[in-house]
Amino acid sequence: GGAARGGPARLEDLQLRELRRCADFLVVDKPPDVRLDGDFPATLEKAVTAALPDLDKPRWIHQLDFATSGVICIGLNRVAAGNASRLFSERRTRKFYLALVRGHMRQPTPWLPRATPALRRARDSV
């Protein structure tokens, strides 16, 4: 069953938290430990399809990992999803990440791996 692999065991256990909807897009708050799709009892795809029965299929514009929670934008039609996906692939969107840590960090200062060009640009723009 799905519970052994993590995530909600039943579709009824997955609450779809809609943040915004228009004719082209649905924006939802994806909880942690929820799969987007696949052969599992409860996925975001199944929850969206249940909430919007007239929808042909949800179209992923970008993705979030299984363990990652956050805002995800879903295309409600092929043209809108294609246009929005192109913005992500051309890196014309901006994404922000916030890490929450339970407990205390062992190192006195945050540690980052070697500075990638993106990290250097971000550091230099501050």
Side-chain angles (χ1 to χ4, degrees):
R5 293 179 265 187
R10 302 175 313 147
L11 187 56
E12 298 80 29
D13 298 332
L14 176 55
Q15 300 255 339
L16 187 64
R17 185 162 171 243
E18 184 176 312
L19 301 177
R20 188 78 141 169
R21 186 188 333 174
C22 67
D24 295 323
F25 303 105
L26 171 66
V27 179
V28 298
D29 183 11
K30 178 195 160 305
D33 301 333
V34 170
R35 290 175 170 81
L36 295 183
D37 51 22
D39 187 22
F40 300 95
T43 65
L44 194 56
E45 179 179 46
K46 289 176 182 172
V48 169
T49 302
L52 303 172
D54 293 335
L55 180 64
D56 174 37
K57 70 175 185 175
R59 299 170 190 278
W60 305 122
I61 292 169
H62 63 101
Q63 298 188 8
L64 293 175
D65 291 338
F66 168 72
T68 303
S69 64
V71 175
I72 188 163
C73 185
I74 303 162
L76 299 181
N77 62 66
R78 187 181 55 79
V79 173
N83 289 336
S85 293
R86 194 170 310 107
L87 294 174
F88 275 87
S89 67
E90 293 173 356
R91 302 193 185 280
R92 293 173 55 194
T93 57
R94 292 177 61 185
K95 298 181 265 184
F96 297 90
Y97 297 91
L98 173 66
L100 301 178
V101 177
R102 179 179 292 166
H104 300 280
M105 303 217 17
R106 291 183 182 171
Q107 295 174 309
T109 57
W111 173 84
L112 289 176
R114 67 179 171 80
T116 64
L119 287 174
R120 283 194 295 272
R121 282 194 303 276
R123 179 195 63 209
D124 294 342
S125 67
V126 174

